Amino acid sequence: MKLGKLPDRTPVKMTIVLAPSLARMLREYADFYVETYASREEVADLIPFMIEAFLESDAAFKKGKKRTPAEPLSSN
């Protein structure tokens, strides 16, 4: 079979605490998104894509990731 086994696609829910200034910036970003695309998205729906874009554009992270094999997360 050409298609390999699909990766785990179970969503992982995380809770974070933000500084008020960052929360405000995220709301402003969502407003800018509406101005740009004429489509309202909730901040919580934008955040995963923002983080993914940030990580994919971080050259040092990519370089370090190639050098060091990823360790599995502990289930503590």
Side-chain angles (χ1 to χ4, degrees):
M1 172 170 226
K2 284 190 172 194
L3 179 65
K5 186 173 183 211
L6 296 178
D8 182 10
R9 296 176 313 274
T10 306
V12 176
K13 183 175 182 170
M14 301 180 102
T15 303
I16 62 170
V17 177
L18 304 173
S21 60
L22 180 54
R24 183 176 52 256
M25 287 172 54
L26 289 169
R27 287 189 300 272
E28 291 169 352
Y29 192 91
D31 292 341
F32 182 62
Y33 184 93
V34 173
E35 292 173 16
T36 303
Y37 297 110
S39 174
R40 178 156 299 279
E41 298 291 344
E42 295 298 319
V43 171
D45 294 328
L46 292 173
I47 289 173
F49 294 97
M50 294 166 70
I51 293 171
E52 183 177 24
F54 173 84
L55 293 174
E56 287 178 353
S57 68
D58 188 324
F61 174 68
K62 284 182 181 178
K63 185 177 178 181
K65 191 172 146 186
K66 285 181 184 175
R67 195 173 15 123
T68 308
E71 295 183 18
L73 298 175
S74 65
S75 57
N76 293 343

